[in-house]
Amino acid sequence: MTSQCHKSQSCFGFGPPFGCHVTTFPRLLLMLFLGLSPETWAQQGTQPHSIKIEGDITLGGLFPVHSRGPAGVPCGEIKREKGIHRMEAMLYALDQINSDPDLLPNITLGARILDTCSRDTYALEQSLTFVQALIQKDNSDVRCSNGEPPIIPKPERVVGVIGASGSSVSIMVANVLRLFAIPQISYASTAPELSDKSRYEFFSRVVPPDSYQAQAMVDIVKAMGWNYVSTLASEGNYGESGVDAFLQISREAGGLCIAQSIKIPREPKPGGFDKIIKRLMETSNARGVIIFANEDDIRRVLEAAKRVNLTGHFLFVGSDSWGAKSSPILDQEDVAEGAVTILPKRASIDGFDNYFTSRSLENNRRNIWFAEYWEDDFKCKLTRPGIKYDLGRRKCTGEERIAQESQYEQEGKVQFVIDAVYVMAHALHSMHLDLCPSSMGVCEKMDPVEGSKLLQYIRSVNFNGSAGTGVMFNENGDAPGRYDIFQFQLSNTTNPGYRCIGQWTNHLRLNAEEMQWSGGDSAVPDSVCSFPCELGERKKMVKGVPCCWHCELCDGYQYQQDELNCDMCPFDMRPMPNRTGCRSTPIIKLEWSSPWAIIPVFLAVLGILATSGCIITFIRFNDSPIVRASGRELSYVLLTGIFLIYLITFLMIAEPSAPVCAFRRLLLGLGMCITYSAMLTKTNRIYRIFEQGKKAVTPPPFISPASQLIITFILIGVQLLGVFIWFGVVPPHTIIDYEEQRPPNPEFARGVLKCDMSDLALVLCLSYSIVLMVTCTVYAIKSRGVPETFNEAKPIGFTMYTTCIVWLAFVPIFFGTAQSTEKMFIQTTTLTVSMSLSATVSLGMLYIPKVYVIIFHPEQNVQKRKKSFKAVASAVTTQLSQKEDKQNGEPKSSAIMLTYCHSK
C-alpha cells in the first residue's frame, strides 16, 4: 500500500507524521470531509490493525471485537461472544464457501476484517481502509531520493462489506460506502432508519429491522394485558430509532400509553443510572419497561435497580440487543428475572460449534485477536514480547480447550454472520454466471466488480440459509421478520435461564402457560396506569393520558351505559345490583298482614260490631221512648253513616282496582257526609227550637221527622253530586306511583299500586264533610246552654269537640309524612284510624249510653208526660223572667225543650 524506494532511498513531498505514504493526502481529504481528526488516524499507524485473508475477491468485515473504551481510549476489553464469535463465523463461512466446488468455483474469497471497538467514530476511521483503492491519487510530486518515481503496488479492493453490528456504526459506515458504491450487508443492525433507501441505498441486512421487532414487542405487551409502560433507549440510532418505532406503532395500534421515555446518554455521568431508576419510579404503576439498549447500558440499569432494592419491581421487555445473552445479566439475575426478550429467529450452527471449539493458539494464527480472547476465556496470561507478565494470573499453557475448560455457548448472531457472507457469495456467483459464463475465474467484466450491479444481485438472492430458513430481501433490503420470544426464568428449577416462550412471524404466538415471573409466580403481573373499574363504575379519563382514569360509581338510579358513561334508568326501573343495566321496580301495596293494616282493621271490626249492635238494638226497641226521643229516623241515618265510616277502612286496604277505586271515591266522603249531615240537622233543629222559644210560642218550621230527613238527604246529595261529577271528569283507575317510594338507595325503591287519588283529591273529597263537621260544631257551641237533663245537645257538643281534636291531629300527621318512604302506609293508617276514631266518638257519645239504658236499665226507658208547645212556651217565659238576673239575662228554656221534645 505504501511506495517502495530502493535501499537507502526515502520519499519526499510530505513531512512527518505522514512520511512517505502516498495514500496519506487522499485519506486526509476524506477524513476532513467526514469531520474526523487526522491525528487519530496517525495514532493508529499506517495500516489499521486488521485480519487479512488473501483471495481473488476481497470482502470487508466489521466486528465489535472490543468494547468501547473509557474517555480518550478508543477500545476497551475484548468481547468474546459479540466480537470473536461473530468474527470467527465470517472466517468459518469463508472456509466453507472456498471449499464448496459448486459455489464460486475456481474463485477464492478473501477478507479484510477490522475492529470497530463498538464505537461509530472509530469504526468510520477504520472503514476508510475499504475505500482507499477507489480514491484517485495524484503521485506526480512524489519521488525517491534518486529522482525516480516510486513503485506503487496495486491497492486492495473491497467489493462488499459484512457488517457492522451496532446500528449507529452501520449508519456511519454506510454514509462512506455509498459514496463509493460498495454494498454493505449487516448481520445485526436493526435500526428502522436503515430501511430508508434514499439515504442508505447500498445497505442490506439479513436481520429484520426494528420496525418488525417493535411491532412484535407491542404485540407482546398487549398480550400480557399491559397498557402503561416506560421506554429506555441507548443514545444512538439503534436505541432511539427502536423506541421511536415502538412509540409510533403503539400510537397507531391504540390502547397503549407511555409513562416515561428515557434516553441513556452515550457517556453517562456518575449516578446517571440511579437517576434513571428514580425517574421510572415516578410512574411506579408502569412496571413494564421496554428497553432498546446496548449490553453495557442494560447491565448498569439492572445494577441501579438492585442498589435501590427494586428487585422484582420492573418487568423488562428487551430488544434483540439483550436477546438470550448472559453477559447483560451477569450477577444481576434476580433483577432480570421475568424479563421477556426478543431475538431474530435463529438456530445453533453445529458446524460452527465444531469449528470454533477446535480452535487453538496453534491453528488459528490468522486471528490476530485470538490470543487476547484465549487469555480472557481461560483467565490466564500469555507471555508475549514487550508485555510484562502479570504475576496475579496463571500462565497459559496453550493446551486449554474451548468448551472443555471454559464455558461456551454459540452467540446468537453467528447464523446471520454466516448468512451475510453467503449472500455475498451467492450474489457474486450469479454475477459471475451472467458476466463470465465461460471463464473459470474472475474475468475482465468483474475486474473490478461494479458495486451497483453487485447490489442488484444481492437483492435478488433467495436461498436456504445456514439454519434452513429462507434468506431473501424486500425492496428496502430488509430480511423478513422472524423472531423467537424468550423469558429469563430464574425460579425454573428444571431449566433455569432463558426459555423460548413463543414466536413472532407477522403475528404473535405466545405460550402464556410457560411464562414464569418473580418468585415462580405464573400470573402475569400488572403494568397499568389504572386498574379496570368495577361493574357499575365508569371511567373518568385523565386529560392527555388515555390509559389513565379514575373510577366513579354510577350512583343513585344510574346504570353503566358503557365504560365511559352512566345513564339514568327509566322512571319505572331501578339499576341492577351491579349497575350494568336496569330492572323493573317491584310493585307493592298495603298488605292485610302488614302492621299498618292490622290496627285499622281491628278498630274497624270493633266499630262495625258495635254499630251493628246499636242498629239491632234500635230496631228491636224501635218504639221505646228512648229510641223515639233520640229521633229514630235521623238516628238510623246517622248509624248508617258511622257504619260506612268503619267500612271504608277495608276499601282503603284492599288491593286497588277500578271498582275498589270507585267505591273509595264514593264511600270515603259519603260515610262522614251522612254522619255529619244528620248530626248537623239535629243540632240545627235544637238550636232553632230554643231560638224560637225565646220569641214565640209557635214551633219553628221543618222540625218534623220528615222535614229532618229531607234536609239531611239534601245535604248528602251535594256530596253525591260532587262524586258523580268527579267520576265523569276522571274515571276511577289505578296507577303505579314510582315517586312515592324512591329513596336515595335504589335497592329500597318500590312502585306503589294505588288509586288515582292524590292528596289534594283526598282533601277535596273530605272537605265537604269537614265543612259539615265545623258547621255542626258551631251549632253545638250555640246550643251549649241546654239543660243537663236534655239527652241530645250536650253529647253532640262533646262529640264535635272531640272529633275536631281528632281531625286537627290528623292533618299534621297526614301531610307531615308526605316525604317519607312509608308515606302510603302512614297516610292510609292515619286516615283510617282518624275516621274510625271520629266514628267511635260519635257512636260512643250518642248511642252507646242509650243502648246501655235500653238493655241494662229498662226501667228508665219510659215515656214522660206530654205538654203542648203553647203550654211549654208559656212556662218557659215565666221561668225566664224569674231567672233572668240569675242567668245574666239569658233565659232558661231547658224545661220547654225537654217537655216538648219528649212529647214528640
Side-chain angles (χ1 to χ4, degrees):
M1 296 294 294
T2 59
S3 61
Q4 298 179 1
C5 299
H6 296 290
K7 189 176 180 179
S8 300
Q9 293 178 339
S10 61
C11 297
F12 301 97
F14 294 97
F18 304 109
C20 189
H21 304 296
V22 298
T23 59
T24 298
F25 184 66
R27 185 186 301 274
L28 175 63
L29 291 177
L30 182 59
M31 289 173 63
L32 292 174
F33 172 74
L34 295 172
L36 301 177
S37 168
E39 288 80 1
T40 305
W41 177 263
Q43 292 173 2
Q44 304 301 320
T46 58
Q47 177 63 48
H49 201 42
S50 61
I51 294 176
K52 170 62 178 174
I53 306 296
E54 297 294 340
D56 300 319
I57 298 176
T58 302
L59 303 179
L62 291 172
F63 296 92
V65 179
H66 293 87
S67 63
R68 184 191 311 168
V73 180
C75 301
E77 298 177 350
I78 196 164
K79 301 178 77 169
R80 289 183 294 173
E81 288 84 11
K82 290 182 70 173
I84 296 299
H85 282 204
R86 294 179 182 181
M87 189 268 295
E88 285 288 349
M90 181 173 180
L91 297 178
Y92 166 78
L94 290 174
D95 291 345
Q96 295 296 308
I97 293 168
N98 289 334
S99 61
D100 188 342
D102 298 323
L103 185 61
L104 290 176
N106 300 314
I107 297 178
T108 303
L109 289 181
R112 170 71 71 180
I113 302 175
L114 305 175
D115 181 10
T116 65
C117 290
S118 307
R119 189 186 296 270
D120 50 5
T121 54
Y122 182 80
L124 178 59
E125 296 169 3
Q126 295 287 78
S127 64
L128 296 179
T129 301
F130 300 145
V131 301
Q132 63 181 350
L134 302 175
I135 301 175
Q136 298 296 325
K137 310 176 186 66
D138 183 8
N139 300 322
S140 58
D141 58 345
V142 179
R143 292 290 186 273
C144 292
S145 57
N146 60 0
E148 296 181 359
I151 301 172
I152 302 175
K154 184 178 181 180
E156 177 184 59
R157 187 182 183 93
V158 173
V159 301
V161 174
I162 306 300
S165 177
S167 294
S168 59
V169 175
S170 289
I171 288 173
M172 190 75 80
V173 172
N175 284 319
V176 174
L177 298 182
R178 67 185 290 269
L179 299 176
F180 300 94
I182 299 178
Q184 175 186 1
I185 303 176
S186 174
Y187 48 83
S189 298
T190 57
E193 182 182 350
L194 289 165
S195 297
D196 185 358
K197 294 304 122 180
S198 64
R199 299 174 56 192
Y200 309 103
E201 63 269 32
F202 283 88
F203 178 84
S204 305
R205 48 187 163 192
V206 291
V207 289
D210 285 338
S211 54
Y212 294 153
Q213 183 174 197
Q215 179 65 65
M217 296 172 83
V218 168
D219 292 345
I220 291 170
V221 168
K222 290 200 164 190
M224 292 190 291
W226 298 351
N227 66 4
Y228 196 52
V229 297
S230 297
T231 63
L232 272 179
S234 291
E235 184 178 4
N237 292 95
Y238 172 76
E240 294 179 49
S241 59
V243 164
D244 287 344
F246 181 87
L247 296 178
Q248 181 179 351
I249 293 172
S250 65
R251 279 193 298 267
E252 293 172 354
L256 186 60
C257 299
I258 308 302
Q260 302 268 6
S261 190
I262 302 173
K263 182 164 62 176
I264 303 172
R266 198 183 301 270
E267 301 290 343
K269 296 179 181 178
F273 285 90
D274 294 331
K275 292 181 180 178
I276 289 173
I277 297 299
K278 185 177 180 180
R279 280 191 60 188
L280 290 175
M281 286 305 295
E282 291 175 2
T283 51
S284 57
N285 278 4
R287 296 179 62 189
V289 179
I290 312 303
I291 184 165
F292 280 84
N294 57 55
E295 293 180 34
D296 294 337
D297 288 344
I298 294 171
R299 184 175 63 254
R300 288 185 236 180
V301 167
L302 297 179
E303 290 172 351
K306 190 173 185 178
R307 279 196 297 271
V308 292
N309 198 28
L310 288 175
T311 299
H313 176 79
F314 293 113
L315 311 168
F316 295 99
V317 178
S319 62
D320 61 344
S321 61
W322 185 333
K325 303 186 187 73
S326 57
S327 55
I329 62 172
L330 188 63
D331 299 327
Q332 313 298 330
E333 289 85 354
D334 51 346
V335 186
E337 184 176 11
V340 177
T341 59
I342 190 170
L343 195 63
K345 197 169 185 64
R346 62 184 176 88
S348 182
I349 309 304
D350 294 336
F352 177 79
D353 287 339
N354 297 331
Y355 161 81
F356 190 78
T357 54
S358 67
R359 298 298 89 191
S360 67
L361 294 173
E362 293 298 324
N363 64 16
N364 200 24
R365 294 182 180 273
R366 64 182 178 178
N367 184 347
I368 61 175
W369 297 291
F370 196 70
E372 190 177 352
Y373 166 84
W374 195 272
E375 290 178 327
D376 187 73
D377 193 40
F378 294 106
K379 302 297 185 290
C380 61
K381 195 67 176 177
L382 291 169
T383 302
R384 284 179 286 177
I387 299 178
K388 187 177 180 181
Y389 178 68
D390 186 359
L391 299 177
R393 301 180 69 176
R394 70 177 182 87
K395 186 177 181 181
C396 300
T397 64
E399 300 299 324
E400 296 89 352
R401 289 294 174 263
I402 299 173
Q404 296 179 11
E405 299 176 47
S406 65
Q407 292 184 348
Y408 167 77
E409 182 181 358
Q410 188 178 126
E411 200 275 332
K413 294 293 195 302
V414 163
Q415 166 197 339
F416 301 106
V417 175
I418 296 173
D419 288 345
V421 177
Y422 266 88
V423 167
M424 284 288 189
H426 280 281
L428 289 168
H429 182 80
S430 298
M431 189 177 187
H432 184 265
L433 291 178
D434 291 342
L435 301 182
C436 311
S438 57
S439 175
M440 297 299 292
V442 178
C443 65
E444 293 183 357
K445 292 183 179 180
M446 289 184 64
D447 188 18
V449 173
E450 187 177 340
S452 57
K453 285 187 177 180
L454 178 59
L455 179 64
Q456 295 176 7
Y457 286 102
I458 289 174
R459 297 288 173 81
S460 301
V461 299
N462 191 343
F463 64 96
N464 288 330
S466 55
T469 56
V471 177
M472 64 194 75
F473 300 100
N474 62 14
E475 66 277 6
N476 294 323
D478 298 325
R482 293 187 290 260
Y483 295 97
D484 285 323
I485 313 298
F486 294 90
Q487 186 183 40
F488 183 70
Q489 298 179 353
L490 188 60
S491 301
N492 192 325
T493 56
T494 58
N495 186 26
Y498 290 101
R499 181 176 182 179
C500 185
I501 58 171
Q503 296 83 34
W504 190 93
T505 50
N506 295 323
H507 65 276
L508 179 66
R509 294 191 301 276
L510 191 66
N511 301 321
E513 63 277 2
E514 296 183 6
M515 302 183 78
Q516 196 175 88
W517 305 90
S518 180
D521 192 1
S522 59
V524 179
D526 294 313
S527 181
V528 295
C529 180
S530 301
F531 290 98
C533 293
E534 299 290 337
L535 290 176
E537 294 179 339
R538 77 174 186 93
K539 294 178 180 178
K540 184 179 180 182
M541 307 305 298
V542 176
K543 188 176 181 180
V545 189
C547 298
C548 299
W549 58 81
H550 304 295
C551 294
E552 286 189 349
L553 179 66
C554 296
D555 57 357
Y557 288 81
Q558 295 180 327
Y559 72 98
Q560 184 182 359
Q561 185 181 30
D562 52 48
E563 65 176 9
L564 298 177
N565 298 292
C566 296
D567 198 9
M568 291 294 293
C569 283
F571 191 70
D572 59 343
M573 305 184 79
R574 60 178 179 165
M576 298 173 66
N578 58 12
R579 294 185 178 271
T580 56
C582 296
R583 52 181 173 159
S584 298
T585 302
I587 308 302
I588 63 168
K589 57 183 178 60
L590 185 56
E591 301 291 342
W592 294 102
S593 58
S594 169
W596 297 103
I598 292 174
I599 295 174
V601 168
F602 177 73
L603 294 176
V605 169
L606 291 180
I608 288 173
L609 292 176
T611 304
S612 299
C614 290
I615 294 172
I616 293 170
T617 301
F618 267 52
I619 293 173
R620 171 69 179 81
F621 299 95
N622 187 58
D623 293 325
S624 66
I626 290 180
V627 175
R628 292 174 64 192
S630 63
R632 289 175 296 183
E633 297 79 4
L634 285 181
S635 292
Y636 288 129
V637 171
L638 199 150
L639 286 171
T640 301
I642 292 174
F643 185 87
L644 293 178
I645 290 175
Y646 286 122
L647 186 63
I648 193 64
T649 295
F650 297 95
L651 291 173
M652 296 299 293
I653 296 174
E655 181 176 350
S657 63
V660 170
C661 292
F663 279 108
R664 279 190 190 181
R665 286 192 190 182
L666 179 63
L667 299 181
L668 181 62
L670 184 61
M672 291 181 63
C673 178
I674 293 173
T675 300
Y676 296 117
S677 293
M679 207 173 294
L680 175 59
T681 302
K682 276 194 172 191
T683 54
N684 176 263
R685 178 173 178 263
I686 294 170
Y687 174 75
R688 287 189 297 115
I689 289 173
F690 276 91
E691 286 297 312
Q692 185 67 18
K694 297 177 185 179
K695 301 174 183 178
V697 295
T698 59
F702 309 115
I703 62 172
S704 64
S707 300
Q708 298 300 297
L709 288 175
I710 291 172
I711 293 171
T712 301
F713 288 129
I714 289 173
L715 294 175
I716 295 172
V718 174
Q719 174 75 21
L720 291 174
L721 178 62
V723 170
F724 285 117
I725 291 174
W726 188 8
F727 281 165
V729 175
V730 182
H733 61 278
T734 60
I735 61 170
I736 300 176
D737 188 348
Y738 292 99
E739 191 65 32
E740 182 173 312
Q741 291 202 25
R742 195 175 175 86
N745 186 351
E747 288 300 309
F748 300 106
R750 299 292 184 270
V752 180
L753 177 63
K754 59 197 296 189
C755 293
D756 63 326
M757 187 181 299
S758 65
D759 293 348
L760 179 60
L762 186 143
V763 170
L764 291 175
C765 185
L766 296 175
S767 61
Y768 180 64
S769 299
I770 294 172
V771 170
L772 295 175
M773 181 176 62
V774 172
T775 306
C776 186
T777 304
V778 171
Y779 276 109
I781 294 172
K782 289 184 176 184
S783 302
R784 66 185 182 279
V786 175
E788 295 180 2
T789 55
F790 180 60
N791 65 347
E792 284 288 348
K794 288 195 179 295
I796 291 175
F798 290 139
T799 298
M800 299 317 302
Y801 305 152
T802 306
T803 302
C804 287
I805 292 172
V806 170
W807 285 98
L808 285 174
F810 160 79
V811 171
I813 296 174
F814 186 87
F815 292 100
T817 58
Q819 302 301 322
S820 172
T821 56
E822 304 287 338
K823 172 185 174 182
M824 181 191 71
F825 306 130
I826 296 175
Q827 290 187 343
T828 301
T829 301
T830 302
L831 177 61
T832 53
V833 169
S834 296
M835 295 183 72
S836 294
L837 287 177
S838 63
T840 302
V841 168
S842 299
L843 187 66
M845 291 285 187
L846 300 178
Y847 294 103
I848 295 297
K850 294 180 175 62
V851 172
Y852 175 77
V853 171
I854 293 172
I855 296 176
F856 297 103
H857 297 282
E859 71 279 2
Q860 297 180 12
N861 189 10
V862 295
Q863 187 172 2
K864 306 289 178 132
R865 181 173 59 90
K866 291 184 179 180
K867 291 184 179 180
S868 66
F869 186 83
K870 184 177 181 180
V872 171
S874 177
V876 169
T877 303
T878 303
Q879 291 180 14
L880 289 176
S881 72
Q882 291 176 352
K883 299 180 180 180
E884 186 174 2
D885 294 335
K886 184 179 178 179
Q887 299 298 329
N888 296 321
E890 184 179 345
K892 277 289 185 179
S893 56
S894 60
I896 302 172
M897 188 64 194
L898 179 61
T899 305
Y900 181 75
C901 288
H902 282 289
S903 69
K904 296 296 180 181

